[in-house]
PDB file of all heavy atoms in Angstrom:
ATOM      1  N   ASP A 120     -75.963 -54.615   9.970  1.00 94.00           N
ATOM      2  CA  ASP A 120     -76.511 -55.652  10.784  1.00 94.00           C
ATOM      3  C   ASP A 120     -77.601 -55.075  11.794  1.00 94.00           C
ATOM      4  O   ASP A 120     -78.594 -55.826  12.086  1.00 94.00           O
ATOM      5  CB  ASP A 120     -75.365 -56.294  11.671  1.00 94.00           C
ATOM      6  CG  ASP A 120     -74.440 -57.160  10.815  1.00 94.00           C
ATOM      7  OD1 ASP A 120     -74.828 -57.597   9.706  1.00 94.00           O
ATOM      8  OD2 ASP A 120     -73.244 -57.265  11.146  1.00 94.00           O
ATOM      9  N   GLU A 121     -77.416 -53.866  12.210  1.00 94.00           N
ATOM     10  CA  GLU A 121     -78.454 -53.267  13.111  1.00 94.00           C
ATOM     11  C   GLU A 121     -79.746 -53.115  12.365  1.00 94.00           C
ATOM     12  O   GLU A 121     -80.831 -53.407  12.927  1.00 94.00           O
ATOM     13  CB  GLU A 121     -77.938 -51.949  13.576  1.00 94.00           C
ATOM     14  CG  GLU A 121     -76.882 -51.976  14.684  1.00 94.00           C
ATOM     15  CD  GLU A 121     -76.314 -50.638  15.048  1.00 94.00           C
ATOM     16  OE1 GLU A 121     -76.621 -49.604  14.354  1.00 94.00           O
ATOM     17  OE2 GLU A 121     -75.541 -50.502  16.025  1.00 94.00           O
ATOM     18  N   LEU A 122     -79.671 -52.666  11.090  1.00 94.00           N
ATOM     19  CA  LEU A 122     -80.851 -52.434  10.292  1.00 94.00           C
ATOM     20  C   LEU A 122     -81.575 -53.814   9.989  1.00 94.00           C
ATOM     21  O   LEU A 122     -82.781 -53.926  10.060  1.00 94.00           O
ATOM     22  CB  LEU A 122     -80.558 -51.769   9.007  1.00 94.00           C
ATOM     23  CG  LEU A 122     -80.192 -50.301   9.051  1.00 94.00           C
ATOM     24  CD1 LEU A 122     -79.620 -49.803   7.718  1.00 94.00           C
ATOM     25  CD2 LEU A 122     -81.388 -49.492   9.530  1.00 94.00           C
ATOM     26  N   LEU A 123     -80.744 -54.827   9.698  1.00 95.00           N
ATOM     27  CA  LEU A 123     -81.306 -56.172   9.436  1.00 95.00           C
ATOM     28  C   LEU A 123     -81.981 -56.666  10.698  1.00 95.00           C
ATOM     29  O   LEU A 123     -83.133 -57.286  10.614  1.00 95.00           O
ATOM     30  CB  LEU A 123     -80.276 -57.147   8.984  1.00 95.00           C
ATOM     31  CG  LEU A 123     -79.668 -56.895   7.580  1.00 95.00           C
ATOM     32  CD1 LEU A 123     -78.499 -57.804   7.312  1.00 95.00           C
ATOM     33  CD2 LEU A 123     -80.784 -57.044   6.566  1.00 95.00           C
ATOM     34  N   SER A 124     -81.405 -56.464  11.856  1.00 93.00           N
ATOM     35  CA  SER A 124     -81.989 -56.936  13.140  1.00 93.00           C
ATOM     36  C   SER A 124     -83.279 -56.176  13.377  1.00 93.00           C
ATOM     37  O   SER A 124     -84.264 -56.714  13.833  1.00 93.00           O
ATOM     38  CB  SER A 124     -81.064 -56.806  14.314  1.00 93.00           C
ATOM     39  OG  SER A 124     -79.908 -57.606  14.174  1.00 93.00           O
ATOM     40  N   ARG A 125     -83.243 -54.860  13.098  1.00 92.00           N
ATOM     41  CA  ARG A 125     -84.454 -54.036  13.365  1.00 92.00           C
ATOM     42  C   ARG A 125     -85.589 -54.399  12.424  1.00 92.00           C
ATOM     43  O   ARG A 125     -86.732 -54.499  12.804  1.00 92.00           O
ATOM     44  CB  ARG A 125     -84.098 -52.546  13.013  1.00 92.00           C
ATOM     45  CG  ARG A 125     -85.167 -51.496  13.156  1.00 92.00           C
ATOM     46  CD  ARG A 125     -85.762 -51.464  14.521  1.00 92.00           C
ATOM     47  NE  ARG A 125     -86.737 -50.495  14.701  1.00 92.00           N
ATOM     48  CZ  ARG A 125     -87.686 -50.435  15.623  1.00 92.00           C
ATOM     49  NH1 ARG A 125     -87.716 -51.464  16.509  1.00 92.00           N
ATOM     50  NH2 ARG A 125     -88.560 -49.484  15.716  1.00 92.00           N
ATOM     51  N   SER A 126     -85.261 -54.752  11.144  1.00 94.00           N
ATOM     52  CA  SER A 126     -86.286 -55.200  10.246  1.00 94.00           C
ATOM     53  C   SER A 126     -86.950 -56.465  10.754  1.00 94.00           C
ATOM     54  O   SER A 126     -88.115 -56.665  10.715  1.00 94.00           O
ATOM     55  CB  SER A 126     -85.622 -55.465   8.872  1.00 94.00           C
ATOM     56  OG  SER A 126     -86.568 -56.011   7.973  1.00 94.00           O
ATOM     57  N   ALA A 127     -86.159 -57.444  11.321  1.00 92.00           N
ATOM     58  CA  ALA A 127     -86.639 -58.715  11.754  1.00 92.00           C
ATOM     59  C   ALA A 127     -87.546 -58.522  13.003  1.00 92.00           C
ATOM     60  O   ALA A 127     -88.539 -59.269  13.193  1.00 92.00           O
ATOM     61  CB  ALA A 127     -85.554 -59.687  12.052  1.00 92.00           C
ATOM     62  N   VAL A 128     -87.171 -57.536  13.805  1.00 91.00           N
ATOM     63  CA  VAL A 128     -87.970 -57.270  15.002  1.00 91.00           C
ATOM     64  C   VAL A 128     -89.360 -56.708  14.651  1.00 91.00           C
ATOM     65  O   VAL A 128     -90.398 -57.034  15.200  1.00 91.00           O
ATOM     66  CB  VAL A 128     -87.214 -56.295  15.917  1.00 91.00           C
ATOM     67  CG1 VAL A 128     -88.209 -55.788  17.012  1.00 91.00           C
ATOM     68  CG2 VAL A 128     -86.054 -57.015  16.597  1.00 91.00           C
ATOM     69  N   ILE A 129     -89.372 -55.803  13.635  1.00 92.00           N
ATOM     70  CA  ILE A 129     -90.690 -55.159  13.258  1.00 92.00           C
ATOM     71  C   ILE A 129     -91.534 -56.316  12.632  1.00 92.00           C
ATOM     72  O   ILE A 129     -92.782 -56.323  13.008  1.00 92.00           O
ATOM     73  CB  ILE A 129     -90.405 -54.076  12.219  1.00 92.00           C
ATOM     74  CG1 ILE A 129     -89.581 -52.898  12.821  1.00 92.00           C
ATOM     75  CG2 ILE A 129     -91.705 -53.545  11.590  1.00 92.00           C
ATOM     76  CD1 ILE A 129     -89.102 -51.896  11.890  1.00 92.00           C
ATOM     77  N   ALA A 130     -91.100 -57.027  11.775  1.00 93.00           N
ATOM     78  CA  ALA A 130     -91.853 -58.095  11.100  1.00 93.00           C
ATOM     79  C   ALA A 130     -90.864 -59.070  10.488  1.00 93.00           C
ATOM     80  O   ALA A 130     -90.239 -58.651   9.407  1.00 93.00           O
ATOM     81  CB  ALA A 130     -92.864 -57.578  10.155  1.00 93.00           C
ATOM     82  N   PRO A 131     -90.685 -60.296  10.886  1.00 92.00           N
ATOM     83  CA  PRO A 131     -89.751 -61.208  10.236  1.00 92.00           C
ATOM     84  C   PRO A 131     -90.047 -61.374   8.801  1.00 92.00           C
ATOM     85  O   PRO A 131     -91.259 -61.724   8.465  1.00 92.00           O
ATOM     86  CB  PRO A 131     -89.852 -62.476  11.086  1.00 92.00           C
ATOM     87  CG  PRO A 131     -90.409 -62.071  12.395  1.00 92.00           C
ATOM     88  CD  PRO A 131     -91.332 -60.914  12.013  1.00 92.00           C
ATOM     89  N   THR A 132     -89.074 -61.205   7.913  1.00 93.00           N
ATOM     90  CA  THR A 132     -89.299 -61.489   6.488  1.00 93.00           C
ATOM     91  C   THR A 132     -88.145 -62.374   6.045  1.00 93.00           C
ATOM     92  O   THR A 132     -87.070 -62.330   6.601  1.00 93.00           O
ATOM     93  CB  THR A 132     -89.281 -60.233   5.631  1.00 93.00           C
ATOM     94  OG1 THR A 132     -87.987 -59.551   5.746  1.00 93.00           O
ATOM     95  CG2 THR A 132     -90.408 -59.288   6.091  1.00 93.00           C
ATOM     96  N   TRP A 133     -88.430 -63.205   5.042  1.00 95.00           N
ATOM     97  CA  TRP A 133     -87.367 -64.172   4.637  1.00 95.00           C
ATOM     98  C   TRP A 133     -86.132 -63.445   4.106  1.00 95.00           C
ATOM     99  O   TRP A 133     -85.058 -63.923   4.305  1.00 95.00           O
ATOM    100  CB  TRP A 133     -87.912 -65.144   3.632  1.00 95.00           C
ATOM    101  CG  TRP A 133     -88.071 -64.650   2.182  1.00 95.00           C
ATOM    102  CD1 TRP A 133     -89.203 -64.177   1.623  1.00 95.00           C
ATOM    103  CD2 TRP A 133     -87.071 -64.642   1.213  1.00 95.00           C
ATOM    104  NE1 TRP A 133     -88.935 -63.778   0.314  1.00 95.00           N
ATOM    105  CE2 TRP A 133     -87.653 -64.146   0.030  1.00 95.00           C
ATOM    106  CE3 TRP A 133     -85.712 -65.067   1.143  1.00 95.00           C
ATOM    107  CZ2 TRP A 133     -86.950 -64.026  -1.194  1.00 95.00           C
ATOM    108  CZ3 TRP A 133     -85.042 -64.955  -0.024  1.00 95.00           C
ATOM    109  CH2 TRP A 133     -85.638 -64.390  -1.138  1.00 95.00           C
ATOM    110  N   ARG A 134     -86.319 -62.303   3.411  1.00 95.00           N
ATOM    111  CA  ARG A 134     -85.194 -61.647   2.784  1.00 95.00           C
ATOM    112  C   ARG A 134     -84.231 -61.128   3.822  1.00 95.00           C
ATOM    113  O   ARG A 134     -82.997 -61.280   3.721  1.00 95.00           O
ATOM    114  CB  ARG A 134     -85.710 -60.472   1.939  1.00 95.00           C
ATOM    115  CG  ARG A 134     -86.286 -60.916   0.624  1.00 95.00           C
ATOM    116  CD  ARG A 134     -86.654 -59.707  -0.254  1.00 95.00           C
ATOM    117  NE  ARG A 134     -87.147 -60.113  -1.584  1.00 95.00           N
ATOM    118  CZ  ARG A 134     -88.481 -60.385  -1.786  1.00 95.00           C
ATOM    119  NH1 ARG A 134     -89.354 -60.283  -0.707  1.00 95.00           N
ATOM    120  NH2 ARG A 134     -88.896 -60.751  -3.014  1.00 95.00           N
ATOM    121  N   ALA A 135     -84.831 -60.515   4.841  1.00 95.00           N
ATOM    122  CA  ALA A 135     -83.889 -59.917   5.953  1.00 95.00           C
ATOM    123  C   ALA A 135     -83.222 -61.033   6.724  1.00 95.00           C
ATOM    124  O   ALA A 135     -82.063 -60.952   6.963  1.00 95.00           O
ATOM    125  CB  ALA A 135     -84.785 -59.091   6.922  1.00 95.00           C
ATOM    126  N   LEU A 136     -83.928 -62.103   7.026  1.00 96.00           N
ATOM    127  CA  LEU A 136     -83.317 -63.213   7.766  1.00 96.00           C
ATOM    128  C   LEU A 136     -82.345 -63.997   6.914  1.00 96.00           C
ATOM    129  O   LEU A 136     -81.244 -64.403   7.394  1.00 96.00           O
ATOM    130  CB  LEU A 136     -84.413 -64.191   8.237  1.00 96.00           C
ATOM    131  CG  LEU A 136     -85.200 -63.599   9.408  1.00 96.00           C
ATOM    132  CD1 LEU A 136     -86.505 -64.418   9.610  1.00 96.00           C
ATOM    133  CD2 LEU A 136     -84.383 -63.628  10.719  1.00 96.00           C
ATOM    134  N   ALA A 137     -82.600 -64.100   5.560  1.00 97.00           N
ATOM    135  CA  ALA A 137     -81.663 -64.765   4.711  1.00 97.00           C
ATOM    136  C   ALA A 137     -80.356 -63.954   4.553  1.00 97.00           C
ATOM    137  O   ALA A 137     -79.233 -64.533   4.716  1.00 97.00           O
ATOM    138  CB  ALA A 137     -82.259 -64.983   3.371  1.00 97.00           C
ATOM    139  N   LEU A 138     -80.467 -62.691   4.429  1.00 96.00           N
ATOM    140  CA  LEU A 138     -79.269 -61.836   4.317  1.00 96.00           C
ATOM    141  C   LEU A 138     -78.515 -61.723   5.658  1.00 96.00           C
ATOM    142  O   LEU A 138     -77.277 -61.871   5.720  1.00 96.00           O
ATOM    143  CB  LEU A 138     -79.629 -60.395   3.891  1.00 96.00           C
ATOM    144  CG  LEU A 138     -78.504 -59.402   3.664  1.00 96.00           C
ATOM    145  CD1 LEU A 138     -77.490 -59.976   2.649  1.00 96.00           C
ATOM    146  CD2 LEU A 138     -79.017 -58.108   3.223  1.00 96.00           C
ATOM    147  N   SER A 139     -79.284 -61.659   6.763  1.00 96.00           N
ATOM    148  CA  SER A 139     -78.618 -61.619   8.112  1.00 96.00           C
ATOM    149  C   SER A 139     -77.931 -62.950   8.336  1.00 96.00           C
ATOM    150  O   SER A 139     -76.792 -63.057   8.892  1.00 96.00           O
ATOM    151  CB  SER A 139     -79.693 -61.339   9.177  1.00 96.00           C
ATOM    152  OG  SER A 139     -79.102 -61.295  10.424  1.00 96.00           O
ATOM    153  N   GLY A 140     -78.587 -64.046   7.973  1.00 97.00           N
ATOM    154  CA  GLY A 140     -77.974 -65.408   8.223  1.00 97.00           C
ATOM    155  C   GLY A 140     -76.763 -65.641   7.338  1.00 97.00           C
ATOM    156  O   GLY A 140     -75.775 -66.250   7.778  1.00 97.00           O
ATOM    157  N   THR A 141     -76.758 -65.128   6.104  1.00 97.00           N
ATOM    158  CA  THR A 141     -75.644 -65.222   5.195  1.00 97.00           C
ATOM    159  C   THR A 141     -74.447 -64.451   5.760  1.00 97.00           C
ATOM    160  O   THR A 141     -73.296 -64.947   5.755  1.00 97.00           O
ATOM    161  CB  THR A 141     -76.036 -64.698   3.780  1.00 97.00           C
ATOM    162  OG1 THR A 141     -77.096 -65.517   3.226  1.00 97.00           O
ATOM    163  CG2 THR A 141     -74.842 -64.800   2.821  1.00 97.00           C
TER     164      THR A 141
END
Side-chain angles (χ1 to χ4, degrees):
D120 291 336
E121 288 175 351
L122 287 170
L123 290 173
S124 296
R125 179 63 175 156
S126 175
V128 168
I129 295 169
T132 62
W133 78 265
R134 287 185 177 85
L136 285 163
L138 182 55
S139 180
T141 299

